[in-house]
Amino acid sequence: MAQVKNRLTPFFENITFERDDNELVLNFGPQHPSAHGQLRLMLHLQQEQIVKAHPDIGYLHRGMEKMAENMIYNEFMPTTDRMDYIASSSNNYGFALAVEKLIGLEVPRRAKVIRMLLLEINRLMSHLFWLATTALDIGAMTVFLFAFREREYLMDIIEGYCGARLTHAAIRIGGVPLDLQDGFLHQLRVFLNKLPQNIKDYEDLLDSNRIWLMRMEEVGVISTEMALSWGCTGPMLRASGVAWDIRKEEPYELYDEVEFNVPYSDKGDNYARYRIYMEEMRESAKILYQCIEMYEKCEKDGQTELMAHAPKYISAPKIDIMTQNYSLMQHFVLVTQGMRPPVGEVYVPTESPKGELGFYINSQGDPYPYRLKLRAPSFWHTGILTDLLPGHYIPDVVSIIGTTNIVFGEVDR
Amino acid sequence: MRAYKPKDNVQAKAYYTDRFYVAPQVPKTAVEEDAVFAADLAAIKAKFAVKEAYIQVEQMVIYINACDIYGVLELMRDELAYTQLSEMSAIDWLAKDNSFEIFYQMLSMTKRKRIRVKYFIQKGEAVDSVEKLFRSADWSEREMFDMFGIEANNHPFMKRILMPYDWEGYPLLKSYPLEGDEFAAWYEVDKIYGKEARDIIGPELRDTARVDSYDSERFARLGHEVPKGTKITGDEPAVSQSYQEEDGVFLIKKLDKESSVIIDDPQR
């Protein structure tokens, strides 16, 4: 029998596209340049106005929670990179912190500072990427080129640190694997000194741009109640009038030692979200300057530890493994069998660039987590489109999807 | 004799556990030690039965009856300022006592506190939807249904969300293998080519870690390379390799080491 090559029938073929009541059903995605990944939207239209929106997700579903149940804890770390792949260190960090809370580890100060440097660089990378792609969706090509240029410098710095540009896996359970490379701080300083002028350039291009304002102002308004009810977090929530930043309210790492502000707005529209991303970049730069100082102080005080000392859970430093028999044996057990955290459960939220990234881990004392739930902010930021899009017009769909800043690695997991 | 493998939990297991190993516990503390949690718990206890309550890793965990969930969350939202449902999902305990554990992760932004509300249901039972209280439960309940097959009563649109709409089986159950079951192996074959082509195409190989050393299309046999698609018998002659250092093929003809520069500043 010859193969019937063309049996792949589209899922929407049983839907009537044009109906008697003048309502048109438009299928948007899952392959659409402005869908930011694999978003599929079923839009019911009256003329150009949307009366019903039905987001459909799952086109990038890889079953990460299932994978986690079948992997030892350290093995899962590179998989977390593939969630929010625009800022992958923040996922690494969320997972590492959750396991550390579970086993009750204290991370050395120098590792904490390096982690904060990485997290804030990731936040800048993510926000620059957001600005670039959203501006491109709206039609501002120049901003796209400018913001990608700056993001490139940050990726170079990260590449120097961990060898990867996108999927970093730069953080380990119990600390960080490496010290900063030579020139890291210098390169970062050079970048940060230029950043205010760069941000001003973007703002000069966008802030009072007539087209930008028309597409942004009073479009996609999310009320405070709606944002809370839909589980919005991060810039989405702060643009809707709630000044809630986990770094500030439930500080982790050394965020209680650095000074920064939490920008928020009570407008709730696209423009408010745009302003929040811009202001957060400035705040991140502020934090980075303080982290550089902290790092230099660590260096001066001779704090060289990068990994926590917990022989039951964490391998000894390489020098011990190479010279001491017992460390080598322990390392061998931890690599082949994996660490066995205590029995219990933990939910640890962190402020990723997109919002609240939470890891729920239920451990039964085995090397494999019994249940691991990934709480990704973008999941709910996609869900809110159901209630947000009706009443808007087709062009607004693109700008609203843009400002929600959803990443599908994270939505589908 | 083949080793016995339990069918109700086919997930990866530790291949060695010491006979005398007793797993330690993540410490639990009494609710009274935190004034805010104690007040919240008293307010919930006044109206609903609370089976167990403790604090673990800075968050309060309470166990309630399954039928009370809507009332408890409504009370927490309206009177105790727990305004956000961050997350909810299930844990599969079917192998242990045929039950599911459902958890709701609540957040109060004014108190800066988080509470995890939990209850057990038996297999085949449905939960009460809290979608009317928190819109975020709309999608999380759908995800829970998709992954565990637990339905939510009074949910407006109880359909699969991540898996294809015509999928069979619930992937996050412990009885569901990591590579997928038989349905998964035939799903795309049936969808693209039709059931009648099963004999020609065969089931999908879903074990991503599988390496077929005779697969000349995807794996190079280093030192014994053969043209693509060649049937490998195993007695292919070794391919001779020559290196530049050993007067082999020259890759760089004129390398002047003196005049080359190493750039150390990427932002030059």
Side-chain angles (χ1 to χ4, degrees):
Chain A
M1 197 202 86
Q3 287 181 5
V4 188
K5 286 267 181 185
N6 205 8
R7 279 286 295 269
L8 189 64
T9 46
F11 291 168
F12 48 77
E13 76 163 8
N14 52 350
I15 295 167
T16 321
F17 272 72
E18 204 162 344
R19 307 199 307 199
D20 293 343
D21 55 0
N22 239 354
E23 194 173 292
L24 180 83
V25 182
L26 180 73
N27 181 67
F28 177 100
Q31 303 292 343
H32 190 280
S34 72
H36 286 229
Q38 315 291 319
L39 171 65
R40 177 170 168 235
L41 279 172
M42 306 285 297
L43 300 172
H44 294 237
L45 302 173
Q46 290 276 15
Q47 316 298 339
E48 290 233 329
Q49 196 175 31
I50 294 150
V51 290
K52 197 174 158 218
H54 176 74
D56 184 13
I57 60 169
Y59 291 92
L60 202 60
H61 179 226
R62 294 148 293 177
M64 280 191 185
E65 290 165 16
K66 185 79 176 173
M67 286 159 78
E69 288 176 15
N70 289 281
M71 282 181 180
I72 62 175
Y73 286 85
N74 279 319
E75 213 179 344
F76 186 59
M77 187 58 82
T79 314
T80 58
D81 283 338
R82 277 81 180 163
M83 286 175 65
D84 176 6
Y85 40 77
I86 303 302
S88 50
S89 294
S90 54
N91 310 322
N92 299 156
Y93 177 71
F95 178 62
L97 186 69
V99 180
E100 283 155 15
K101 284 259 173 88
L102 187 66
I103 57 189
L105 270 188
E106 183 60 27
V107 175
R109 188 177 168 85
R110 192 183 180 113
K112 281 186 178 178
V113 177
I114 296 175
R115 283 172 167 203
M116 275 179 60
L117 281 164
L118 291 175
L119 288 179
E120 291 308 315
I121 290 177
N122 270 275
R123 194 178 311 278
L124 276 176
M125 275 165 65
S126 170
H127 284 9
L128 285 169
F129 184 86
W130 170 83
L131 180 71
T133 49
T134 308
L136 187 66
D137 286 349
I138 308 290
M141 186 93 177
T142 318
V143 179
F144 167 77
L145 294 170
F146 278 12
F148 257 55
R149 180 189 60 190
E150 266 74 68
R151 181 166 170 268
E152 196 67 19
Y153 287 140
L154 287 174
M155 296 219 292
D156 280 350
I157 295 177
I158 287 272
E159 189 185 8
Y161 177 69
C162 64
R165 294 163 69 78
L166 221 50
T167 50
H168 305 148
I171 290 167
R172 297 283 181 278
I173 298 167
V176 287
L178 294 166
D179 202 0
L180 300 181
Q181 80 269 21
D182 292 342
F184 184 100
L185 296 183
H186 168 70
Q187 288 165 23
L188 188 59
R189 266 210 201 91
V190 171
F191 174 81
L192 289 178
N193 292 341
K194 280 190 213 154
L195 189 66
Q197 184 55 44
N198 290 329
I199 296 177
K200 198 172 162 298
D201 285 350
Y202 313 143
E203 285 178 346
D204 288 347
L205 284 164
L206 294 176
D207 264 3
S208 49
N209 183 323
R210 198 155 54 92
I211 301 169
W212 184 257
L213 290 176
M214 277 166 67
R215 303 291 298 273
M216 288 289 180
E217 272 186 328
E218 305 294 321
V219 174
V221 180
I222 303 175
S223 66
T224 310
E225 294 74 39
M226 190 176 168
L228 287 172
S229 174
W230 262 107
C232 287
T233 45
M236 288 280 278
L237 185 63
R238 290 195 281 278
S240 299
V242 186
W244 174 262
D245 188 321
I246 298 170
R247 291 177 293 170
K248 202 80 170 175
E249 310 293 336
E250 303 172 308
Y252 48 91
E253 275 333 305
L254 303 172
Y255 280 111
D256 45 354
E257 290 183 26
V258 292
E259 253 179 61
F260 65 102
N261 301 322
V262 178
Y264 72 103
S265 158
D266 52 4
K267 286 276 194 292
D269 58 354
N270 279 348
Y271 193 76
R273 290 193 276 278
Y274 154 69
R275 288 304 316 160
I276 286 195
Y277 284 113
M278 302 306 272
E279 290 306 324
E280 276 194 10
M281 281 200 257
R282 294 201 169 93
E283 296 304 321
S284 276
K286 218 192 270 179
I287 296 174
L288 279 171
Y289 274 123
Q290 296 173 56
C291 287
I292 292 175
E293 275 170 30
M294 282 167 146
Y295 181 82
E296 281 167 345
K297 190 162 178 301
C298 282
E299 221 163 30
K300 212 161 57 187
D301 298 349
Q303 291 164 324
T304 51
E305 291 262 288
L306 288 177
M307 291 288 278
H309 178 73
K312 260 173 86 180
Y313 305 111
I314 311 288
S315 290
K318 203 77 186 169
I319 184 134
D320 287 358
I321 294 173
M322 292 305 198
T323 52
Q324 293 177 25
N325 197 11
Y326 199 75
S327 295
L328 176 66
M329 285 156 65
Q330 215 135 34
H331 177 64
F332 182 73
V333 170
L334 285 174
V335 168
T336 54
Q337 296 180 21
M339 68 167 87
R340 292 167 198 250
V343 180
E345 53 177 16
V346 70
Y347 173 81
V348 178
T350 55
E351 184 77 23
S352 90
K354 311 276 185 302
E356 176 182 324
L357 178 72
F359 282 79
Y360 168 84
I361 301 178
N362 186 318
S363 156
Q364 293 299 310
D366 296 323
Y368 306 92
Y370 190 78
R371 173 87 171 95
L372 189 141
K373 183 80 183 80
L374 308 164
R375 192 259 184 231
S378 296
F379 184 73
W380 284 277
H381 297 170
T382 314
I384 201 171
L385 295 176
T386 322
D387 293 351
L388 186 57
L389 291 182
H392 287 93
Y393 293 87
I394 291 184
D396 298 337
V397 174
V398 173
S399 62
I400 290 173
I401 293 173
T403 53
T404 52
N405 196 8
I406 47 183
V407 166
F408 271 78
E410 199 175 58
V411 176
D412 296 340
R413 283 155 289 148
Chain B
M1 216 175 100
R2 256 179 305 169
Y4 172 71
K5 283 194 184 135
K7 301 276 188 299
D8 48 10
N9 186 350
V10 294
Q11 308 308 306
K13 288 185 195 63
Y15 68 88
Y16 174 75
T17 304
D18 187 83
R19 283 166 65 196
F20 303 107
Y21 177 73
V22 180
Q25 301 280 326
V26 179
K28 293 175 186 173
T29 50
V31 177
E32 288 70 41
E33 287 182 19
D34 190 303
V36 180
F37 280 147
D40 291 342
L41 182 63
I44 297 169
K45 266 189 175 166
K47 287 194 181 164
F48 301 99
V50 176
K51 289 175 179 171
E52 199 189 344
Y54 54 84
I55 299 177
Q56 196 172 38
V57 199
E58 299 150 34
Q59 293 172 15
M60 183 163 78
V61 182
I62 60 170
Y63 283 89
I64 58 164
N65 289 316
C67 53
D68 291 340
I69 184 61
Y70 190 90
V72 169
L73 291 201
E74 193 174 28
L75 174 84
M76 285 174 73
R77 186 191 68 172
D78 296 339
E79 290 170 33
L80 304 178
Y82 285 84
T83 45
Q84 207 170 42
L85 173 68
S86 308
E87 175 66 286
M88 66 146 301
S89 194
I91 305 168
D92 173 358
W93 293 111
L94 295 180
K96 200 175 93 185
D97 53 6
N98 208 28
S99 66
F100 287 108
E101 189 175 358
I102 319 287
F103 66 89
Y104 296 76
Q105 187 69 42
M106 305 296 298
L107 164 65
S108 167
M109 291 176 179
T110 47
K111 297 177 182 172
R112 299 178 189 172
K113 291 285 182 193
R114 291 172 192 270
I115 295 184
R116 192 153 51 245
V117 182
K118 305 176 92 176
Y119 59 85
F120 288 96
I121 57 163
Q122 289 295 304
K123 188 187 179 185
E125 284 179 358
V127 300
D128 285 338
S129 171
V130 293
E131 184 268 338
K132 296 273 180 300
L133 295 173
F134 299 100
R135 284 290 283 135
S136 63
D138 182 347
W139 275 33
S140 15
E141 278 165 0
R142 276 178 72 190
E143 194 191 335
M144 185 169 76
F145 167 70
D146 195 356
M147 293 293 139
F148 292 94
I150 303 168
E151 290 189 34
N153 294 328
N154 306 324
H155 190 283
F157 192 67
M158 193 84 274
K159 292 278 164 64
R160 283 190 182 274
I161 187 165
L162 291 172
M163 304 299 288
Y165 69 100
D166 54 351
W167 192 261
E168 283 174 24
Y170 299 102
L172 269 181
L173 293 180
K174 292 281 175 187
S175 56
Y176 195 91
L178 181 64
E179 309 82 48
D181 55 7
E182 204 188 330
F183 173 84
W186 290 110
Y187 180 79
E188 290 202 339
V189 177
D190 290 359
K191 200 96 195 162
I192 296 170
Y193 301 108
K195 268 204 170 73
E196 58 275 19
R198 276 190 178 194
D199 290 345
I200 304 166
I201 293 159
E204 188 187 338
L205 298 173
R206 292 174 63 89
D207 183 359
T208 47
R210 196 182 119 97
V211 175
D212 180 1
S213 59
Y214 288 98
D215 183 348
S216 64
E217 303 224 342
R218 267 166 289 181
F219 299 104
R221 294 158 54 80
L222 293 178
H224 297 269
E225 282 89 350
V226 290
K228 184 183 168 190
T230 310
K231 276 261 180 268
I232 294 167
T233 52
D235 50 357
E236 285 75 27
V239 178
S240 67
Q241 289 183 341
S242 47
Y243 298 95
Q244 183 172 338
E245 293 83 352
E246 298 160 355
D247 299 328
V249 187
F250 276 101
L251 297 176
I252 302 170
K253 288 203 171 116
K254 287 177 193 166
L255 174 68
D256 184 6
K257 275 192 182 169
E258 302 303 316
S259 61
S260 65
V261 184
I262 295 171
I263 298 157
D264 54 356
D265 182 10
Q267 295 201 6
R268 62 199 179 276

